Amino acid sequence: MRAFMTLIVLICIGTIVYGNYHWNSKLGSAVDGKVDVHKNSTATATEVVDNNKEEVVNGSFTNLPESLVETLNEKSENKETINLAIIGSEVNGFHDNSWTTIFKEEMESTYDGLFNITVTAIQGKVTTSDVVQENLHLENLNAKPDVVILEPFLLDSNGLIIIDHSLQNISSIIEDLKAENPDVFLFIQPGQPIHNAVYYPEDVEALKTWTEENGYTYLDHWSSWPGYQSDVLLDYMNPDSIIPNEKGHEVWAEYMVNYFTGKA
């Protein structure tokens, strides 16, 4: 009888010990499973962030020439910087509300350091001939430009140099830029529109035709301004001046930002 009771006690103790061991094993597995799930979730989240960033960058290139997009994607993947130079008259200069300042801020926000943007804004009244003879367009080109946005001084040349000569000077400017980088991508834009101008719009139209015929990309920001024959355009200029006010710079910047970031 005593032996039988001893056997019963041993069986009960064994059952308790086994049950406790089995429970701890399940609990350990459950904890390990939660850790594994957490690790997998973290990895997936990182991949999603990277993929989203890549989609933002690639999606922003929708307006740009295909050959340039290939270069931009390659440099983006290799984490290289793209040197973008803006060259033109003094209206392009950096100041608090200029289109170049707005453009630079938006590009940096969109592309997160992909672009290094510099501005060469020639001060004073200069013609296309002045620029070529004095190499003014090469100022501030501390780094070899990958992309150039050129505003080729037609407004100050108007009435002083016939358009054919100005276009020849623009060709010389571009040749100098290509000497810096044979693979440079060139965008050409006019200066600001002028209210009730007569000959200047004809020069701008000739520039547009010449740009397209020579295989460059023309940035037609005039399409975002009021017509040059409309009195509404005066609201975009400083009083008694041909210089854009804050509103004028904003409309100019909006076009450029939309074009280069794919927002429109």
Side-chain angles (χ1 to χ4, degrees):
M1 183 66 178
R2 182 178 298 174
F4 177 74
M5 292 298 295
T6 300
L7 179 61
I8 294 298
V9 171
L10 290 174
I11 291 173
C12 291
I13 292 173
T15 301
I16 293 171
V17 170
Y18 174 77
N20 186 59
Y21 173 78
H22 182 65
W23 168 254
N24 287 336
S25 296
K26 289 182 66 177
L27 182 61
S29 297
V31 171
D32 290 341
K34 289 181 179 178
V35 171
D36 289 342
V37 169
H38 179 70
K39 287 180 179 178
N40 290 338
S41 297
T42 302
T44 302
T46 302
E47 292 171 1
V48 168
V49 169
D50 289 342
N51 289 339
N52 285 345
K53 184 176 180 181
E54 183 177 352
E55 288 177 3
V56 168
V57 171
N58 291 337
S60 300
F61 295 156
T62 53
N63 294 325
L64 303 180
E66 184 176 348
S67 55
L68 176 56
V69 171
E70 293 175 0
T71 298
L72 296 180
N73 280 327
E74 180 180 349
K75 285 185 174 286
S76 177
E77 291 170 2
N78 295 332
K79 303 196 181 304
E80 297 176 356
T81 301
I82 297 163
N83 294 316
L84 188 157
I86 300 171
I87 301 173
S89 60
E90 62 184 357
V91 72
N92 299 282
F94 274 136
H95 57 74
D96 290 344
N97 300 311
S98 69
W99 80 262
T100 49
T101 299
I102 300 170
F103 177 73
K104 187 174 187 294
E105 291 174 352
E106 289 290 337
M107 291 287 281
E108 289 174 348
S109 173
T110 300
Y111 293 111
D112 191 24
L114 178 60
F115 286 90
N116 173 41
I117 300 175
T118 59
V119 175
T120 299
I122 311 300
Q123 299 300 303
K125 187 177 180 67
V126 292
T127 66
T128 56
S129 294
D130 295 330
V131 173
V132 170
Q133 292 169 4
E134 300 175 36
N135 287 324
L136 299 177
H137 54 294
L138 299 179
E139 293 182 356
N140 298 333
L141 288 184
N142 298 324
K144 181 176 69 174
D146 300 298
V147 179
V148 170
I149 300 174
L150 175 64
E151 181 262 300
F153 314 97
L154 281 190
L155 180 55
D156 286 342
S157 301
N158 183 251
L160 298 176
I161 300 177
I162 64 173
I163 185 61
D164 288 344
H165 289 173
S166 277
L167 294 176
Q168 291 173 8
N169 290 331
I170 294 169
S171 293
S172 297
I173 292 172
I174 291 174
E175 287 175 6
D176 290 342
L177 294 171
K178 286 186 174 181
E180 296 288 323
N181 178 10
D183 298 320
V184 66
F185 290 90
L186 282 154
F187 294 87
I188 297 177
Q189 65 170 339
Q192 72 275 21
I194 302 302
H195 182 243
N196 279 338
V198 178
Y199 300 110
Y200 174 53
E202 295 178 1
D203 288 353
V204 169
E205 189 63 30
L207 174 67
K208 179 180 180 180
T209 300
W210 180 91
T211 298
E212 294 171 348
E213 287 177 349
N214 284 273
Y216 305 120
T217 300
Y218 185 78
L219 299 173
D220 188 13
H221 66 87
W222 277 28
S223 61
S224 296
W225 296 71
Y228 70 89
Q229 294 177 319
S230 169
D231 290 344
V232 179
L233 181 62
L234 296 174
D235 296 334
Y236 294 75
M237 301 291 169
N238 288 316
D240 301 319
S241 171
I242 61 173
I243 303 300
N245 58 20
E246 182 176 346
K247 189 174 181 180
H249 276 287
E250 285 176 354
V251 74
W252 193 340
E254 182 179 14
Y255 175 92
M256 301 296 283
V257 168
N258 288 345
Y259 183 87
F260 280 91
T261 63
K263 293 181 178 179

